[in-house]
Amino acid sequence: MEIKAVVGDITEIQADALVVNLFEEVKQPGGATAAVDKALDGAVSQLIDQGEIKGKLGEVTLIHTLGKLPARIVATAGLGKKEEFNLDKVRRVTGDFSRLLRKSNCHSVATILHGAGTGSIEPQDSAEAITEGSLLGLYNFTRYKKPEYEEIAEMLVISDSSQLTAVSRGIGNGKIMAEATVIARDMVNEPANQMTPARMAEIAEETANKYDLEFKVLDSRDMEAMGMGALLGVASGSSQPPKLITLGYKGNPDSRNTAGFLGKGVTFDSGGISIKPSEGMGEMKDDMAGGAAVMAALAAIAHLKCKINITAIIPAVENLPSGNALKPGDILKAMNGKTIEIISTDAEGRLILADALSYAVKQSLSPLVDLATLTGACRVALGTGYSGLFSNNQRLANEIVKAANKTGEKMWQMPLPEEYKEQNKSLIADIKNTGNRYGGAITAALFLAEFIDDVPWAHIDIAGTASSNKESGYTVKGATGVGVRTLTELALSLAKQGGLV
Ligand code: BES
Ligand code: MN
Ligand code: ZN
């Protein structure tokens, strides 16, 4: 889909559909909506009077113009309560109306800048949100099945001539954000027989070539030499060779500081010998969503030419049972020398991240941010709307929450209580890989904290948010690509401040 800014009289725009909006409880439409209402001989105000249009968030009403306007359809998008309006609602509303208009066989859609009038949103931000909302809301994973509907070919964003540069810039940035998110969604939606650790490494290499990033991949021999026993332990049950993928972006060569973004890349998590129930096991192809997000974020960060240095580290493995597999009771030695008693082979994410974090610390990367579909417990605690955020550094946590508030990828900070460390104590090794029944997202985070020394670090548990089983706003069924936009926004913000201050 092509998205572009256009300047022109709203009632003369040539497109299959024209999108205007209104807030909840508005009885008399204003601005562009009023102009369209007039051209339609008061059809919009009549539908408001009759209670069909309420302006509720997510409500999209289609009015057929029958020749009164060049557009075949006028869509009124409800923006919800004015005092609750924000940028993410622009994304959501855009996702909703875009899908409805695609269903109605519209090939070209023109929309006003939602919220840029009385909604007090900057035109550039509105254009960026419209771009992200439409590209992500219309996303389809089409590799194995033809899409149900014809795609919308063009989205025209109507602006004043004075706003044209800002709107075009917003569209440009939104495209970069959305396209990177699509890279992550495509990787996560791909089944595990395709998206193997080796395939992830290939995609990383292609990304590196495209954006001139440093690319390095460690294979099991390198891992052995470096003492990555935890990562190798998880990999041992699968015939897919593990890969530790690194992508390096140098956007600020004058600085000696480099941040580390890490992502869990379990291409399939059967649970291993501690095998999961078969029902829903297929969902565990999503267990590399953190790794995909980190890779895609690096693409966006490089594309935006962010003034920052970042190394992405993705431990990629498959967790399967076999004659060579890791067993409960086994003891592994991680790269930093700590010994780990295996209680459950299904708590594999923390094992591969233990070595990846040690590797990051050894390279003096700081701050560190890891993204992982780590625990079912996090999904139980926060549901599917919030990712769990854990950090040993409040300034870093605040930066991440600030970035997440901008992108609409909601996060909730969770504690790292000293007294819960007790749960990870082992009788015969330095640490064990599971805690007891309660607080599982926290004990998993506390386990990771054993491998970061005192480096500023944040862990984001995306087990609840990495995929969706419903379609709403700019989220569609399947992978969400969560984290890509927030990590990119975080990089932009850290670059602006010259690091973590
Ligand atoms: N990949 C899973 C976590 C997960 C669960 C992600 C549901 C997405 C949806 C992780 O490797 C896992 O299996 N965790 C175990 C930990 C337990 C053995 C301590 C869990 O959550 O059950
Ligand atoms: Mn697991
Ligand atoms: Zn897992």
Side-chain angles (χ1 to χ4, degrees), residues 402-456:
K402 195 175 81 187
N405 285 341
K406 253 186 144 168
T407 60
E409 295 182 330
K410 293 193 285 293
M411 290 188 193
W412 192 259
Q413 193 175 351
M414 308 269 272
L416 286 169
E418 195 70 26
E419 59 285 14
Y420 286 22
K421 283 190 180 166
E422 196 61 34
Q423 289 193 40
N424 288 334
K425 284 206 171 128
S426 157
L427 211 57
I428 55 166
D430 292 326
I431 191 169
K432 60 186 171 82
N433 82 330
T434 62
N436 55 31
R437 219 168 121 84
Y438 301 114
I442 297 173
T443 48
L446 284 168
F447 180 97
L448 298 181
E450 295 292 325
F451 299 88
I452 47 139
D453 287 352
D454 283 324
V455 180

Side-chain angles (χ1 to χ4, degrees), residues 137-207:
L138 292 169
Y139 171 85
N140 268 326
F141 183 59
T142 55
R143 235 173 89 100
Y144 303 96
K145 189 183 174 207
K146 267 225 209 70
E148 227 173 307
Y149 308 105
E150 262 180 62
E151 290 302 327
I152 296 177
E154 63 170 7
M155 177 76 65
L156 309 172
V157 182
I158 308 164
S159 71
D160 288 350
S161 51
S162 67
Q163 302 167 328
L164 198 58
T165 1
V167 169
S168 303
R169 200 178 312 131
I171 293 173
N173 289 342
K175 261 192 206 160
I176 294 174
M177 289 286 204
E179 278 165 11
T181 306
V182 165
I183 294 176
R185 285 185 180 181
D186 279 345
M187 286 178 73
V188 176
N189 284 330
E190 200 67 61
N193 59 335
Q194 296 296 324
M195 196 49 59
T196 59
R199 179 69 192 128
M200 282 187 82
E202 258 174 39
I203 295 175
E205 190 169 12
E206 286 160 19
T207 309

Side-chain angles (χ1 to χ4, degrees), residues 21-39:
N21 64 37
L22 85 170
F23 285 109
E24 199 169 326
E25 271 149 41
V26 167
K27 294 286 171 241
Q28 201 57 56
T33 312
V36 165
D37 186 34
K38 194 169 160 222

Side-chain angles (χ1 to χ4, degrees), residues 16-17 65 88 91 100 114 117 141 148 215 225 250 254 309 331 364 378 405 480 492 495:
D16 292 332
T65 65
D88 202 47
R91 291 189 195 97
L100 188 62
H114 304 285
F141 183 59
E148 227 173 307
F215 167 77
K250 275 214 165 314
D254 298 335
N309 304 323
I331 296 182
S364 307
C378 191
N405 285 341
T480 60
L492 284 168

